[in-house]
Amino acid sequence: MKEMSQNKGIKILLVDDEPTILQFLEMGLENEGFQVLTAQDGMTAVTMVKEHQPHVVILDVMMPGMDGFEVCRMLKKIQNVATIMLTAREDVEDRVKGLTLGADDYMIKPFSFEELLARIHARIRNHYPHLLSKVHLGPFQIDDRRKEITYEDTLLELSPTEYSLLKYLVTNHGLVLSKPMILDNVWGYDFGGEENIVEVYIRSLRDKLNDRQHRIIRTLRGAGYRVDFV
């Protein structure tokens, strides 16, 4: 769930003239939370990059008409999009040519879907590191790079401790978190204060979430707290 949320908002363009490969990759990447666009020829791919500005282009080399090398060359003139080229050939010359034209990575068919995912995330980390710092969980968006949390499109004004506490509660939504667990994970194992500090901060978070009925941060008497998405 967390990985899928992390991929939300990331656009990938698949370019391949084989419909079965497009369908397989489109289904797999959509299941991972990506927004997926497809093209079956080079000119359509170039047009879609101009119109939709995808973050990553997965580009087959061997296509009729405009091949993947020419598409890659044209894409690099449009924008610095991360490009992963696919080929059924193992020729070193092809790989060198693709990388020289601006491709960021090269994969030889057949390949595992898990390896493709890893390479996509590597490209995103290099080109758009800010995207992977944001995690969407229910109505919450957590931006760990900026230390900000948004609830239902409203940016919450949080102190550093409130941010850490709400992040811990939200990323463990559905689980009952006891006060000792919260103290250890938010305040640290060496915290020597009183447990009621948790109640004080929970009350503050509920005020900022307008959670008067305790429907978001629930109290389970004698057990702890649990965040539910409503």
Side-chain angles (χ1 to χ4, degrees), residues 54-69:
H55 299 99
V56 179
V57 174
I58 299 173
L59 176 62
D60 186 45
V61 171
M62 303 302 292
M63 292 188 296
M66 183 187 298
D67 66 16
F69 295 125

mmCIF file of all heavy atoms in Angstrom, residues 54-69:
data_model
loop_
_atom_site.group_PDB
_atom_site.id
_atom_site.type_symbol
_atom_site.label_atom_id
_atom_site.label_comp_id
_atom_site.label_asym_id
_atom_site.label_seq_id
_atom_site.Cartn_x
_atom_site.Cartn_y
_atom_site.Cartn_z
ATOM 1 N N PRO A 54 5.447 13.318 -19.362
ATOM 2 C CA PRO A 54 5.646 12.201 -18.422
ATOM 3 C C PRO A 54 6.986 12.317 -17.701
ATOM 4 O O PRO A 54 7.895 12.992 -18.176
ATOM 5 C CB PRO A 54 5.621 10.973 -19.343
ATOM 6 C CG PRO A 54 6.087 11.497 -20.668
ATOM 7 C CD PRO A 54 5.525 12.886 -20.764
ATOM 8 N N HIS A 55 7.085 11.651 -16.567
ATOM 9 C CA HIS A 55 8.330 11.653 -15.803
ATOM 10 C C HIS A 55 9.323 10.629 -16.352
ATOM 11 O O HIS A 55 10.530 10.858 -16.324
ATOM 12 C CB HIS A 55 8.041 11.349 -14.332
ATOM 13 C CG HIS A 55 7.149 12.365 -13.690
ATOM 14 N ND1 HIS A 55 5.801 12.154 -13.523
ATOM 15 C CD2 HIS A 55 7.412 13.593 -13.183
ATOM 16 C CE1 HIS A 55 5.256 13.213 -12.937
ATOM 17 N NE2 HIS A 55 6.210 14.088 -12.720
ATOM 18 N N VAL A 56 8.794 9.494 -16.830
ATOM 19 C CA VAL A 56 9.643 8.414 -17.346
ATOM 20 C C VAL A 56 9.057 7.917 -18.659
ATOM 21 O O VAL A 56 7.839 7.746 -18.777
ATOM 22 C CB VAL A 56 9.744 7.237 -16.349
ATOM 23 C CG1 VAL A 56 10.610 6.117 -16.913
ATOM 24 C CG2 VAL A 56 10.295 7.709 -15.002
ATOM 25 N N VAL A 57 9.925 7.689 -19.646
ATOM 26 C CA VAL A 57 9.511 7.063 -20.904
ATOM 27 C C VAL A 57 10.217 5.714 -21.007
ATOM 28 O O VAL A 57 11.447 5.639 -20.887
ATOM 29 C CB VAL A 57 9.880 7.929 -22.124
ATOM 30 C CG1 VAL A 57 9.559 7.177 -23.419
ATOM 31 C CG2 VAL A 57 9.128 9.251 -22.082
ATOM 32 N N ILE A 58 9.425 4.659 -21.190
ATOM 33 C CA ILE A 58 9.973 3.313 -21.422
ATOM 34 C C ILE A 58 9.816 3.038 -22.907
ATOM 35 O O ILE A 58 8.700 2.942 -23.420
ATOM 36 C CB ILE A 58 9.248 2.270 -20.559
ATOM 37 C CG1 ILE A 58 9.433 2.615 -19.073
ATOM 38 C CG2 ILE A 58 9.767 0.874 -20.852
ATOM 39 C CD1 ILE A 58 8.626 1.760 -18.136
ATOM 40 N N LEU A 59 10.925 2.942 -23.610
ATOM 41 C CA LEU A 59 10.945 3.065 -25.055
ATOM 42 C C LEU A 59 11.569 1.847 -25.734
ATOM 43 O O LEU A 59 12.731 1.513 -25.483
ATOM 44 C CB LEU A 59 11.751 4.329 -25.414
ATOM 45 C CG LEU A 59 12.013 4.667 -26.870
ATOM 46 C CD1 LEU A 59 10.715 4.899 -27.618
ATOM 47 C CD2 LEU A 59 12.907 5.909 -26.935
ATOM 48 N N ASP A 60 10.778 1.174 -26.580
ATOM 49 C CA ASP A 60 11.293 0.042 -27.343
ATOM 50 C C ASP A 60 12.172 0.542 -28.488
ATOM 51 O O ASP A 60 11.867 1.552 -29.130
ATOM 52 C CB ASP A 60 10.127 -0.779 -27.895
ATOM 53 C CG ASP A 60 10.605 -2.048 -28.583
ATOM 54 O OD1 ASP A 60 11.480 -2.724 -28.022
ATOM 55 O OD2 ASP A 60 10.114 -2.336 -29.684
ATOM 56 N N VAL A 61 13.282 -0.145 -28.738
ATOM 57 C CA VAL A 61 14.206 0.271 -29.801
ATOM 58 C C VAL A 61 13.668 -0.101 -31.174
ATOM 59 O O VAL A 61 13.606 0.729 -32.095
ATOM 60 C CB VAL A 61 15.599 -0.364 -29.590
ATOM 61 C CG1 VAL A 61 16.479 -0.117 -30.812
ATOM 62 C CG2 VAL A 61 16.258 0.211 -28.341
ATOM 63 N N MET A 62 13.267 -1.360 -31.355
ATOM 64 C CA MET A 62 12.912 -1.884 -32.677
ATOM 65 C C MET A 62 11.444 -1.613 -32.981
ATOM 66 O O MET A 62 10.567 -2.403 -32.651
ATOM 67 C CB MET A 62 13.219 -3.380 -32.747
ATOM 68 C CG MET A 62 14.663 -3.729 -32.434
ATOM 69 S SD MET A 62 15.838 -2.915 -33.540
ATOM 70 C CE MET A 62 15.449 -3.746 -35.073
ATOM 71 N N MET A 63 11.169 -0.457 -33.602
ATOM 72 C CA MET A 63 9.818 -0.113 -34.022
ATOM 73 C C MET A 63 9.851 0.273 -35.495
ATOM 74 O O MET A 63 10.835 0.846 -35.966
ATOM 75 C CB MET A 63 9.269 1.047 -33.190
ATOM 76 C CG MET A 63 9.003 0.722 -31.734
ATOM 77 S SD MET A 63 8.152 2.076 -30.873
ATOM 78 C CE MET A 63 9.383 3.384 -30.977
ATOM 79 N N PRO A 64 8.783 -0.022 -36.217
ATOM 80 C CA PRO A 64 8.740 0.380 -37.630
ATOM 81 C C PRO A 64 8.653 1.895 -37.749
ATOM 82 O O PRO A 64 8.175 2.585 -36.855
ATOM 83 C CB PRO A 64 7.460 -0.295 -38.151
ATOM 84 C CG PRO A 64 6.609 -0.495 -36.931
ATOM 85 C CD PRO A 64 7.565 -0.749 -35.809
ATOM 86 N N GLY A 65 9.133 2.412 -38.880
ATOM 87 C CA GLY A 65 9.117 3.853 -39.067
ATOM 88 C C GLY A 65 10.216 4.492 -38.243
ATOM 89 O O GLY A 65 11.400 4.196 -38.414
ATOM 90 N N MET A 66 9.836 5.358 -37.332
ATOM 91 C CA MET A 66 10.808 6.007 -36.452
ATOM 92 C C MET A 66 11.202 5.043 -35.333
ATOM 93 O O MET A 66 10.384 4.679 -34.498
ATOM 94 C CB MET A 66 10.208 7.290 -35.856
ATOM 95 C CG MET A 66 11.176 8.081 -34.986
ATOM 96 S SD MET A 66 10.374 9.476 -34.148
ATOM 97 C CE MET A 66 9.852 10.450 -35.530
ATOM 98 N N ASP A 67 12.458 4.610 -35.304
ATOM 99 C CA ASP A 67 12.860 3.653 -34.276
ATOM 100 C C ASP A 67 13.129 4.359 -32.946
ATOM 101 O O ASP A 67 13.078 5.590 -32.837
ATOM 102 C CB ASP A 67 14.071 2.834 -34.722
ATOM 103 C CG ASP A 67 15.341 3.667 -34.884
ATOM 104 O OD1 ASP A 67 15.397 4.811 -34.387
ATOM 105 O OD2 ASP A 67 16.295 3.165 -35.513
ATOM 106 N N GLY A 68 13.393 3.551 -31.935
ATOM 107 C CA GLY A 68 13.578 4.089 -30.592
ATOM 108 C C GLY A 68 14.749 5.043 -30.474
ATOM 109 O O GLY A 68 14.711 5.989 -29.674
ATOM 110 N N PHE A 69 15.803 4.830 -31.250
ATOM 111 C CA PHE A 69 16.957 5.726 -31.199
ATOM 112 C C PHE A 69 16.579 7.142 -31.635
ATOM 113 O O PHE A 69 16.939 8.128 -31.003
ATOM 114 C CB PHE A 69 18.091 5.201 -32.084
ATOM 115 C CG PHE A 69 18.679 3.903 -31.631
ATOM 116 C CD1 PHE A 69 18.747 2.818 -32.475
ATOM 117 C CD2 PHE A 69 19.161 3.772 -30.338
ATOM 118 C CE1 PHE A 69 19.299 1.615 -32.055
ATOM 119 C CE2 PHE A 69 19.717 2.577 -29.892
ATOM 120 C CZ PHE A 69 19.779 1.496 -30.755
#
